[in-house]
Amino acid sequence: MSATVQSLGGALPLAGEAPAQRDLALGFALHVEAWARADGAPAEVLPALRDAALRLTLASAQGHVCLPLAALTEESENPAEAGGAEAVASLRAKLLASGVVAEAAPALPPGAHPLVLDGGDRLYLRRHFDLENRLAGRLRGLARPAALADAAALRERVGALLDKLFPPRDDGLPDGQKLAVAQALLSRLMVISGGPGTGKTTTVAALLGCLLTVEPALRIALAAPTGKAAARMLEALRARAAGLPPRLRGKLPEAAHTVHRLLGVTPEPGRFRHHAGNPLAVDVLVVDEASMLDLALAARLFDAVPSGARVILLGDKDQLAAVEAGAVFADLSARRLLRPTTAAALETLAGMAAEAPLAAGSGPVPALADCVAWLSESRRFSRDSGIGRLAADINQGEGERALLWLRANEDDAVRWLEDAATQPAAATLARLEAGYVPYLETLKQTLAGEADVTALFAAFDRFRVLAALHEGPRGLAALNAHLARWLRAALGGHAQDRGAASPWYPGRPVIVLRNDGLLGLYNGDVGLCLPDADGALAVHFPAAGGGFRSVAPLRLPAHDTAFALTVHKSQGSEFEEVALLLPARPSPVLSRELLYTGVTRAARKLQLMGAGPVFAAACAQPTRRWSGLAARLEEQGASS
């Protein structure tokens, strides 16, 4: 076996990098090989089986749900087996001859098959195939017209509210938000994708108002993958609902939950209180930041949705996918297609024409036709200025053009600092420290009794440092260590902490890394360390009903300092100002989606520090995650 395995994201050495992943992949591959040998598999198929199992496991660790056989043959070390349809057919035959690879079917029976091969020559771990197949079935069941979906009847009941919330535009163009609301009224499943400021929450507020007009007793649940995203969603929904009549505002949900909290965490990993046998007590489920849903969590969430309920997924298809395997939201929102009959119904309901790309007689109707809307017009920033312009260039892969503009420093909203050194330059560190000066001053006031915890959280949430990587001198750990030293030194005599040997000190921000249902703390929750009335340090977290609650440091689940966050951890958050530090060299992790996600966490100002070639290389490197969810959706339709 070669010392290097070619992964889909580049070469992944079997020694020196990701030892845990390497060991798991090798162990699984050897186990599968031994399993096949014990079952009497022909000796000539075992090397191909072992190699496929190894590469598939490594690909799964990188977020892929499956691995196309074409990718395996392209990377083959045997020239006779490399590339082309014949090589794929030969590998398929060998894998199926091993006896431990099952051919996919919509209802795959239980059996001793750790791997699955579908009709599109995609190789799966059995667990991932089962999850994908199950999710596709639930999605297909939801992707049907809603009850009371007659457009003319709906127009009679909600037309006045729709017209009030979305008056005619001055430019005469169709209102994408109004059309999205109308589209969601007609279907039990709605996937709404849009960048920051495109009005996803405004759209949902209007949609919920219309639904409550038709059915006042609806049970509505709001959820997001992280506590921060859930809190932001609830706050934004309350603000956007100001235009609704008071009787409707009073029926909106008063809380939003993490997906884990909504499903009900149990002591058994991966098990929840709510599932297909004990579904959620909801009629409408709204999930924000759905791009963060991995395959396993999405499957379990949709398992728990009761028959007849509506589901609205909100997200940004251009953002980073989940850390775990899968890119569910990107898969679901990849195409926006309407049947001509649906387009006609939208015109009746919304009073404006909608595009209808599907022509009559154009072939099979895609599974999610009528269920996807894209919002593209940002109210927060335009495409040709500041953060909006930079985000658009990144999405289009125009790294060199964006870099020329960045280096000119023509826009006060976006500042570029050329810093190509392995260690962050002094000017870079000075900018990071300067971003936290308002927090430092508010912290001093809080410790002196001149400001409260609410003001301190507001000061902290104004600015954040984002990193692309965990390790290295420009990574998360090093940045947090530097900023912790800076804050402790800057506090001086304003507070006594527990000494340099202790990680705990006043003002230390922490982020929770693991769910703890007993404490009511969840992955992504952020708290601030402060002394209580007796001088003992405690970590304060925002409470669900308002105010704050404190937790002793020793009781916290796994956590980390949170002056700096990885871009992944920042998803679902928004800060007035962001400083994004790029690594010194290009990395498979530093992708177009990561840059876009980091840049769009900033609402008003962005500081970028790095080397120009590294920035340009990231813009040219889109993330690709292999998945067969679209194929599973079409199969579910064919078998229903």
Side-chain angles (χ1 to χ4, degrees), residues 389-401:
R389 171 176 176 167
L390 179 60
D393 279 351
I394 291 170
N395 263 344
Q396 295 164 13
E398 295 288 351
E400 295 295 343
R401 182 173 70 189

Side-chain angles (χ1 to χ4, degrees), residues 420-478:
T422 302
Q423 299 280 346
T428 294
L429 295 176
R431 286 197 183 185
L432 304 187
E433 294 164 4
Y436 278 118
V437 166
Y439 173 64
L440 170 65
E441 295 305 317
T442 308
L443 175 59
K444 290 177 180 178
Q445 294 170 5
T446 304
L447 295 173
E450 299 168 1
D452 59 13
V453 179
T454 299
L456 187 63
F457 267 90
F460 180 68
D461 284 337
R462 187 192 67 81
F463 172 77
R464 196 69 84 251
V465 175
L466 302 184
L469 306 178
H470 280 87
E471 304 302 327
R474 301 169 73 92
L476 181 75

